[in-house]
Amino acid sequence: MKVLSLDTRAGSLLIPVSMVAQVLASSNQRLCEHRQPYISYEINWREYSMPLVNSSEALGATAILDEDYSRAVVLWPVHGFKQNDFLAFSSREAPKIIVIDDTMVLLPSTMSKEIRYAAGVIQVGSRLGIIPDLKTLAQDVF
């Protein structure tokens, strides 16, 4: 399976390529009020406005004031949500496409329980690869 690997302080956030609508440069963000502490900005993409999820904080890393990111990754709406419920995730570096295959083993479930919104965790090189529970995250955002 091909995934887009987003760089976060908690590890590599792994998003299925089929869910990615577009990767944007970090440019058109604006401050917003949101009930989730890991959302401080929203961005525009095409005619849509959407929350920008600070990927590091959403996975449970300690908040850093005005953390820089180089890209925003816009996802198509999660199945079961409104057709305009778009989410964008921050990436500290340009995301990379990697392939998850049968040789990669899921790490013990105790690790994924320690990382917020993790459905599973695998070893990707020297970093943790975090498979997100996008449905739960979308429920908390919308």
Side-chain angles (χ1 to χ4, degrees):
M1 167 189 250
K2 287 185 181 180
V3 296
L4 198 62
S5 174
L6 284 63
D7 181 46
T8 78
R9 287 181 283 114
S12 297
L13 180 61
L14 306 176
I15 306 287
V17 169
S18 62
M19 294 193 69
V20 176
Q22 191 165 357
V23 177
L24 306 171
S26 60
S27 58
N28 66 353
Q29 69 186 26
R30 63 188 171 287
L31 283 170
C32 72
E33 298 267 334
H34 198 280
R35 67 183 178 277
Q36 296 299 340
Y38 49 82
I39 297 176
S40 300
Y41 297 98
E42 57 184 31
I43 64 169
N44 288 331
W45 174 69
R46 298 184 182 176
E47 69 271 13
Y48 301 102
S49 179
M50 70 200 67
L52 175 64
V53 175
N54 180 311
S55 299
S56 296
E57 288 181 36
L59 295 174
T62 306
I64 293 179
L65 189 61
D66 295 329
E67 179 179 27
D68 279 343
Y69 68 98
S70 70
R71 301 289 191 279
V73 177
V74 177
L75 302 188
W76 295 111
V78 175
H79 180 71
F81 287 81
K82 296 178 197 165
Q83 66 181 18
N84 60 350
D85 282 345
F86 290 92
L87 283 172
F89 287 85
S90 66
S91 182
R92 297 180 336 147
E93 296 178 3
K96 299 172 183 78
I97 293 178
I98 63 170
V99 177
I100 296 176
D101 58 27
D102 294 341
T103 64
M104 296 179 170
V105 180
L106 277 174
L107 296 175
S109 62
T110 53
M111 290 192 80
S112 57
K113 289 179 182 169
E114 294 174 12
I115 301 172
R116 189 184 324 149
Y117 298 118
V121 179
I122 61 174
Q123 191 71 39
V124 178
S126 62
R127 300 199 67 189
L128 289 180
I130 301 160
I131 302 163
D133 180 350
L134 292 173
K135 189 166 189 170
T136 299
L137 189 140
Q139 287 172 339
D140 291 350
V141 170
F142 298 112

